[in-house]
Amino acid sequence: MRKVIYALALCLVAAALSGCAGGQQPPKTAGSVQAILDAAEKDTTSDTASKPETTTDAPASDAPAPSSNTDTTGDVLPQTQPKPENIGKTVDLTTMSSTMVYAEVFSMTRFPEDYLGKTITMRGQFTVYGNTKSGTPYFAVVIADATACCSQGIEFVLAGEHTYPDDYPKEGDEITVTGQYQSYEESGGVYYHLADAEIVSE
Amino acid sequence: MYEIVQKLGQYWQYPFVRYALIAGVLIALCSSLLGVILVLKRFSYIGDGLSHIAFGAMAVAAVMNLTNNMPLVLLVTILCAVLLLRGGQNAKIKGDAALAMISVGSLAIGYLIMNLFSTSANISGDVCSTLFGSTSILTLSAYDVWACVILSIIVVVAFIVLYHKIFAVTFDETFAKATGMKVEAYNLFLAVLTAVIIVLAMNLVGSLLISALVIFPAVSAMRVFRSFKAVMLCAAVISVICAVLGILTSILAGTPVGSTIVVVNIVMLIVFAVLGKVSEGARA
């Protein structure tokens, strides 16, 4: 009987300590396009809604306020230095299966520091989000998981001067983007994106 | 074939793939050991019921914005498991009716709460991810894996140490009680263990597919083997093989992890059913 009680107690302690929560959701971090898309969806109903702290659906109040059809490259403020061993390293998501791509992008949004400075190439759906009426559009490449119910994505900023919508694909188009994974700060939050990006193919 | 091996070698470099395989194997091992007992005690559907209860608890935790929903989910699931496995025998609403009511009720209430109070705009994504597992097993951290390792060691050691008692309680409770065994305590232990394994296994296949992980390996093993020990060992081996094959297939082919593991389990059941017929024919 004592053995049973001990085993039971140990079992409970281990389980309580466990972080293996079922249905674990992608973290709503600044780098998570899922979080951004969630906020963007709310934006469509209320353009005056205040910006959630962890999303990028509105421009920083102290940043230059570009018109809605200009590139956002000028807003980039790199904050975290990439690890020296990451510079020049590449992560090509186009050669992976959809399950692996989803897991890898999830990992990028969960542990962004591990990817800073790496050159990422990924293929997914082109998405524009943000407060389209009053501010800056943000661009992302979004991938869905195998069950197509969850999506993850990475924001990108094209290298050079570009005008939206003229220089960009149509929303929903499949594109391949390559760029360096970097962080930037906006509205007091740290966000991650592919800087100096290039749309390799549409 | 060379390409597949090369691809697997490439994927092995990713920590989340290694974590998924370790956690997948351990969860499969534990659920198969438990599965044999649940199938023999005619509680096959308890996994499904408890996972729905866990889903309801998760919805409440999500609405409450709890950063770690584990304690709440586990507590609710354990309480319900104890209620169903122990109290069920004396309750006015018995067995499968009580299980069905609690199960469906929790699912409905959970979904309703998520719709009414959820702070996420992606309700369908949240629900789908919890129900079908999605790629949760590929998003585990090292901490999660260590928790699985510790839990699995506890479960396996408990099964080895208490093997004879579990055997007695599984097959004949009345006889076990007559011999002076604390049957109630063992049933409580099994109820708690069931709840904990179900909550953990939701990571692997999601709450709708969880029963497969519990039932299929046990039933497959029973097609071929007759003794309790042989069935347990065979179920464990089948479950681990199916989990590994399922995870590898899903990362190679880009299919959903949970449903791929279940399909591999179904194929294995068919194989063992044929093997069982063949061995029966040989014995006759």
Coordinates of all heavy atoms in Angstrom, one line a residue, chain B residues 65-125:
Chain B
N65 N -6.7 32.8 -19.3 CA -5.4 33.3 -19.7 C -4.3 32.7 -18.8 O -3.3 33.4 -18.4 CB -5.3 34.8 -19.6 CG -5.8 35.4 -20.9 OD1 -5.6 34.8 -22.0 ND2 -6.4 36.6 -20.8
L66 N -4.4 31.4 -18.4 CA -3.3 30.8 -17.6 C -2.1 30.5 -18.5 O -2.3 29.9 -19.6 CB -3.9 29.5 -17.0 CG -5.0 29.6 -16.0 CD1 -5.4 28.2 -15.5 CD2 -4.6 30.5 -14.8
T67 N -1.0 30.9 -18.0 CA 0.2 30.7 -18.9 C 0.6 29.2 -18.9 O 1.0 28.7 -19.9 CB 1.4 31.5 -18.3 OG1 1.5 31.3 -16.9 CG2 1.4 32.9 -18.7
N68 N 0.4 28.5 -17.8 CA 0.6 27.1 -17.7 C -0.7 26.4 -17.4 O -1.2 26.4 -16.2 CB 1.7 26.7 -16.7 CG 2.0 25.3 -16.7 OD1 1.6 24.5 -17.5 ND2 2.8 24.9 -15.7
N69 N -1.4 25.8 -18.4 CA -2.7 25.2 -18.1 C -2.6 23.8 -17.5 O -3.6 23.2 -17.1 CB -3.5 25.2 -19.4 CG -2.9 24.4 -20.5 OD1 -1.9 23.7 -20.3 ND2 -3.4 24.5 -21.7
M70 N -1.4 23.3 -17.4 CA -1.2 21.9 -17.0 C -1.8 21.6 -15.6 O -2.6 20.6 -15.5 CB 0.3 21.6 -17.0 CG 0.6 20.1 -16.9 SD 0.0 19.4 -18.4 CE 0.5 17.7 -18.1
P71 N -1.6 22.3 -14.6 CA -2.1 21.9 -13.3 C -3.7 21.8 -13.3 O -4.2 20.9 -12.7 CB -1.7 23.1 -12.3 CG -0.5 23.6 -13.0 CD -0.7 23.5 -14.4
L72 N -4.3 22.8 -13.9 CA -5.8 22.8 -13.9 C -6.3 21.6 -14.8 O -7.2 20.9 -14.3 CB -6.3 24.1 -14.5 CG -7.8 24.2 -14.6 CD1 -8.5 24.4 -13.3 CD2 -8.3 25.4 -15.5
V73 N -5.7 21.4 -15.9 CA -6.2 20.4 -16.8 C -6.0 19.0 -16.1 O -6.9 18.1 -16.1 CB -5.4 20.4 -18.2 CG1 -5.8 19.2 -19.0 CG2 -5.7 21.7 -18.9
L74 N -4.8 18.8 -15.5 CA -4.5 17.6 -14.9 C -5.4 17.3 -13.7 O -6.0 16.2 -13.5 CB -3.1 17.6 -14.4 CG -2.4 16.3 -14.3 CD1 -2.3 15.5 -15.6 CD2 -1.0 16.4 -13.7
L75 N -5.7 18.4 -12.9 CA -6.5 18.2 -11.7 C -7.9 17.8 -12.1 O -8.5 16.9 -11.5 CB -6.6 19.6 -10.9 CG -7.3 19.5 -9.6 CD1 -6.6 18.7 -8.6 CD2 -7.6 21.0 -9.1
V76 N -8.5 18.5 -13.1 CA -9.9 18.2 -13.5 C -10.0 16.8 -14.1 O -10.9 16.0 -13.8 CB -10.3 19.2 -14.6 CG1 -11.7 18.9 -15.2 CG2 -10.4 20.6 -14.0
T77 N -9.0 16.4 -14.9 CA -9.0 15.1 -15.6 C -8.8 14.0 -14.5 O -9.5 13.0 -14.6 CB -7.9 15.0 -16.6 OG1 -7.8 16.2 -17.4 CG2 -8.1 13.8 -17.5
I78 N -8.0 14.2 -13.5 CA -7.8 13.2 -12.5 C -9.1 13.0 -11.7 O -9.5 11.9 -11.4 CB -6.6 13.6 -11.6 CG1 -5.3 13.4 -12.3 CG2 -6.6 12.8 -10.3 CD1 -4.0 13.9 -11.5
L79 N -9.7 14.2 -11.3 CA -10.9 14.1 -10.6 C -12.0 13.3 -11.3 O -12.7 12.4 -10.8 CB -11.5 15.5 -10.3 CG -10.8 16.2 -9.1 CD1 -11.3 17.7 -9.0 CD2 -11.0 15.5 -7.8
C80 N -12.1 13.6 -12.6 CA -13.1 12.9 -13.4 C -12.8 11.4 -13.6 O -13.7 10.6 -13.6 CB -13.3 13.6 -14.8 SG -14.0 15.2 -14.7
A81 N -11.5 11.1 -13.7 CA -11.0 9.7 -13.9 C -11.4 8.9 -12.6 O -11.9 7.8 -12.7 CB -9.5 9.7 -14.1
V82 N -11.1 9.5 -11.5 CA -11.4 8.9 -10.2 C -12.9 8.7 -10.1 O -13.4 7.6 -9.7 CB -10.9 9.7 -9.0 CG1 -11.4 9.1 -7.7 CG2 -9.4 9.7 -9.0
L83 N -13.7 9.7 -10.4 CA -15.1 9.7 -10.4 C -15.7 8.5 -11.3 O -16.5 7.8 -10.9 CB -15.7 11.0 -10.9 CG -16.9 11.5 -10.3 CD1 -16.7 12.0 -8.8 CD2 -17.5 12.7 -11.1
L84 N -15.1 8.4 -12.5 CA -15.6 7.4 -13.4 C -15.1 6.0 -13.1 O -15.9 5.1 -13.2 CB -15.2 7.8 -14.8 CG -15.8 9.0 -15.5 CD1 -15.1 9.4 -16.7 CD2 -17.3 8.7 -15.8
L85 N -13.9 5.9 -12.8 CA -13.3 4.5 -12.6 C -13.6 3.9 -11.2 O -13.8 2.7 -11.0 CB -11.8 4.5 -12.8 CG -11.3 4.6 -14.2 CD1 -9.8 4.8 -14.3 CD2 -11.7 3.4 -15.0
R86 N -13.8 4.8 -10.2 CA -14.0 4.3 -8.8 C -15.5 4.5 -8.4 O -16.1 3.6 -8.0 CB -13.1 5.0 -7.8 CG -11.7 4.6 -7.9 CD -10.9 5.0 -6.7 NE -11.3 4.3 -5.5 CZ -11.5 5.0 -4.4 NH1 -11.4 6.3 -4.3 NH2 -11.9 4.3 -3.3
G87 N -16.0 5.7 -8.6 CA -17.3 6.0 -8.1 C -18.4 5.5 -9.0 O -19.5 5.3 -8.6
G88 N -18.0 5.2 -10.3 CA -18.9 4.7 -11.3 C -19.7 3.5 -10.9 O -20.9 3.4 -11.2
Q89 N -19.1 2.6 -10.1 CA -19.7 1.4 -9.7 C -20.9 1.6 -8.8 O -21.9 0.8 -8.8 CB -18.7 0.4 -9.1 CG -17.7 -0.1 -10.1 CD -16.3 -0.1 -9.6 OE1 -16.0 0.3 -8.5 NE2 -15.4 -0.5 -10.5
N90 N -20.8 2.6 -8.0 CA -21.9 2.9 -7.0 C -22.9 4.0 -7.4 O -23.9 4.2 -6.8 CB -21.3 3.2 -5.6 CG -20.3 2.2 -5.2 OD1 -20.5 1.0 -5.3 ND2 -19.2 2.7 -4.6
A91 N -22.6 4.6 -8.5 CA -23.4 5.8 -8.9 C -24.7 5.3 -9.5 O -24.9 4.2 -9.9 CB -22.6 6.6 -10.0
K92 N -25.6 6.3 -9.6 CA -27.0 6.0 -10.1 C -26.9 5.9 -11.6 O -27.5 5.0 -12.2 CB -27.9 7.1 -9.7 CG -28.4 7.0 -8.3 CD -29.5 8.0 -8.0 CE -29.9 7.9 -6.5 NZ -30.7 9.0 -6.1
I93 N -26.1 6.8 -12.3 CA -25.8 6.6 -13.7 C -24.5 5.9 -13.9 O -23.5 6.4 -13.5 CB -25.8 8.0 -14.4 CG1 -27.0 8.8 -14.1 CG2 -25.6 7.9 -15.9 CD1 -27.0 10.3 -14.5
K94 N -24.6 4.7 -14.5 CA -23.4 3.9 -14.4 C -22.6 3.8 -15.8 O -23.1 4.2 -16.8 CB -23.8 2.4 -14.1 CG -24.4 2.3 -12.7 CD -24.5 0.9 -12.3 CE -25.0 0.9 -10.9 NZ -24.8 -0.2 -10.1
G95 N -21.4 3.4 -15.6 CA -20.5 3.0 -16.7 C -20.5 3.9 -17.9 O -20.2 5.1 -17.9
D96 N -20.9 3.3 -19.1 CA -20.7 4.0 -20.3 C -21.6 5.2 -20.4 O -21.3 6.2 -21.1 CB -21.0 3.0 -21.5 CG -22.4 2.3 -21.4 OD1 -23.0 2.4 -20.3 OD2 -22.8 1.8 -22.4
A97 N -22.8 5.2 -19.8 CA -23.7 6.3 -19.8 C -23.1 7.5 -19.2 O -23.1 8.6 -19.7 CB -25.0 6.0 -19.2
A98 N -22.5 7.3 -18.0 CA -21.8 8.4 -17.2 C -20.6 8.9 -18.0 O -20.4 10.1 -18.2 CB -21.3 7.9 -15.9
L99 N -19.9 8.0 -18.6 CA -18.7 8.4 -19.4 C -19.1 9.2 -20.6 O -18.5 10.3 -20.9 CB -17.9 7.1 -19.9 CG -16.7 7.3 -20.7 CD1 -15.7 8.1 -19.9 CD2 -16.1 6.0 -21.1
A100 N -20.1 8.7 -21.3 CA -20.6 9.5 -22.5 C -21.1 10.9 -22.1 O -20.8 11.8 -22.8 CB -21.7 8.7 -23.2
M101 N -21.8 10.9 -21.0 CA -22.4 12.2 -20.6 C -21.3 13.2 -20.3 O -21.3 14.4 -20.7 CB -23.3 12.0 -19.4 CG -24.7 11.5 -19.8 SD -25.6 11.0 -18.4 CE -25.8 12.5 -17.5
I102 N -20.4 12.8 -19.5 CA -19.3 13.7 -19.0 C -18.4 14.1 -20.2 O -18.0 15.2 -20.4 CB -18.4 13.0 -17.9 CG1 -19.3 12.9 -16.7 CG2 -17.2 13.9 -17.6 CD1 -18.5 12.2 -15.5
S103 N -18.2 13.1 -21.1 CA -17.3 13.3 -22.3 C -17.9 14.3 -23.2 O -17.3 15.3 -23.5 CB -17.1 11.9 -23.0 OG -16.6 12.1 -24.3
V104 N -19.1 14.1 -23.6 CA -19.8 15.0 -24.6 C -20.0 16.3 -24.0 O -19.9 17.4 -24.6 CB -21.1 14.3 -25.1 CG1 -21.8 15.3 -26.1 CG2 -20.7 13.0 -25.9
G105 N -20.4 16.3 -22.7 CA -20.7 17.5 -22.0 C -19.5 18.4 -21.9 O -19.5 19.6 -22.2
S106 N -18.3 17.8 -21.6 CA -17.1 18.6 -21.5 C -16.7 19.2 -22.8 O -16.3 20.3 -22.9 CB -16.0 17.7 -21.0 OG -16.3 17.1 -19.8
L107 N -16.8 18.4 -23.9 CA -16.5 18.8 -25.2 C -17.3 20.0 -25.6 O -16.8 21.0 -26.1 CB -16.7 17.6 -26.2 CG -16.0 17.8 -27.6 CD1 -14.5 17.8 -27.5 CD2 -16.4 16.6 -28.5
A108 N -18.6 19.9 -25.4 CA -19.6 20.9 -25.8 C -19.3 22.2 -25.0 O -19.2 23.3 -25.5 CB -21.0 20.5 -25.6
I109 N -19.1 22.1 -23.7 CA -18.9 23.2 -22.8 C -17.6 23.9 -23.2 O -17.5 25.1 -23.3 CB -19.0 22.8 -21.3 CG1 -20.4 22.4 -20.9 CG2 -18.5 24.0 -20.4 CD1 -20.5 21.8 -19.6
G110 N -16.6 23.1 -23.4 CA -15.3 23.6 -23.8 C -15.3 24.4 -25.1 O -14.8 25.5 -25.1
Y111 N -16.0 23.9 -26.1 CA -16.1 24.6 -27.4 C -16.9 25.9 -27.2 O -16.6 26.9 -27.8 CB -16.7 23.7 -28.4 CG -16.7 24.3 -29.8 CD1 -15.5 24.7 -30.4 CD2 -17.8 24.4 -30.5 CE1 -15.4 25.2 -31.6 CE2 -17.8 24.9 -31.8 CZ -16.6 25.4 -32.4 OH -16.6 25.9 -33.6
L112 N -18.0 25.8 -26.4 CA -18.8 26.9 -26.2 C -18.0 28.1 -25.5 O -18.1 29.2 -25.9 CB -20.0 26.5 -25.3 CG -21.2 27.5 -25.2 CD1 -21.9 27.7 -26.5 CD2 -22.2 27.1 -24.1
I113 N -17.3 27.7 -24.4 CA -16.5 28.7 -23.7 C -15.5 29.3 -24.6 O -15.3 30.5 -24.6 CB -15.8 28.0 -22.5 CG1 -16.8 27.7 -21.4 CG2 -14.7 28.9 -21.9 CD1 -16.3 26.9 -20.3
M114 N -14.8 28.5 -25.5 CA -13.8 29.0 -26.4 C -14.4 30.0 -27.3 O -13.8 31.0 -27.7 CB -13.2 27.9 -27.2 CG -12.0 27.3 -26.5 SD -11.2 26.2 -27.7 CE -9.5 26.1 -27.0
N115 N -15.6 29.7 -27.8 CA -16.3 30.6 -28.7 C -16.8 31.9 -28.1 O -16.7 33.0 -28.7 CB -17.5 29.9 -29.4 CG -17.1 29.3 -30.7 OD1 -17.1 29.9 -31.7 ND2 -16.7 28.0 -30.6
L116 N -17.3 31.8 -26.9 CA -17.8 33.0 -26.2 C -16.8 33.9 -25.6 O -16.9 35.1 -25.7 CB -18.8 32.5 -25.1 CG -20.1 31.9 -25.6 CD1 -20.9 31.4 -24.4 CD2 -20.9 32.9 -26.4
F117 N -15.7 33.3 -25.0 CA -14.8 34.1 -24.3 C -13.4 34.1 -24.8 O -12.5 34.8 -24.1 CB -14.8 33.7 -22.8 CG -16.2 33.6 -22.2 CD1 -16.8 32.4 -21.8 CD2 -16.8 34.8 -21.9 CE1 -18.0 32.4 -21.3 CE2 -18.1 34.8 -21.3 CZ -18.7 33.6 -21.0
S118 N -13.1 33.4 -25.8 CA -11.7 33.3 -26.3 C -11.1 34.6 -26.7 O -11.8 35.4 -27.3 CB -11.6 32.3 -27.4 OG -10.2 32.2 -27.8
T119 N -9.9 34.8 -26.3 CA -9.2 36.1 -26.7 C -8.5 35.9 -28.0 O -8.0 36.9 -28.6 CB -8.1 36.5 -25.6 OG1 -7.3 35.3 -25.4 CG2 -8.8 36.9 -24.4
S120 N -8.4 34.7 -28.5 CA -7.8 34.4 -29.8 C -8.7 34.6 -30.9 O -9.9 34.2 -30.8 CB -7.2 33.0 -29.8 OG -6.8 32.6 -31.1
A121 N -8.3 35.1 -32.1 CA -9.1 35.3 -33.2 C -9.2 34.0 -34.0 O -10.0 33.8 -34.9 CB -8.6 36.4 -34.1
N122 N -8.3 33.1 -33.7 CA -8.2 31.8 -34.5 C -8.7 30.7 -33.7 O -8.0 29.7 -33.3 CB -6.7 31.6 -34.9 CG -6.5 30.4 -35.8 OD1 -7.5 30.0 -36.5 ND2 -5.4 29.8 -35.8
I123 N -10.0 30.7 -33.4 CA -10.7 29.7 -32.6 C -10.6 28.3 -33.3 O -10.3 27.3 -32.7 CB -12.1 30.1 -32.3 CG1 -12.2 31.3 -31.4 CG2 -12.9 29.0 -31.6 CD1 -13.5 32.0 -31.3
S124 N -10.9 28.4 -34.6 CA -10.9 27.1 -35.3 C -9.6 26.4 -35.2 O -9.4 25.2 -35.1 CB -11.4 27.3 -36.7 OG -10.5 28.2 -37.4
G125 N -8.5 27.3 -35.3 CA -7.1 26.7 -35.2 C -6.8 26.1 -33.9 O -6.3 25.1 -33.8

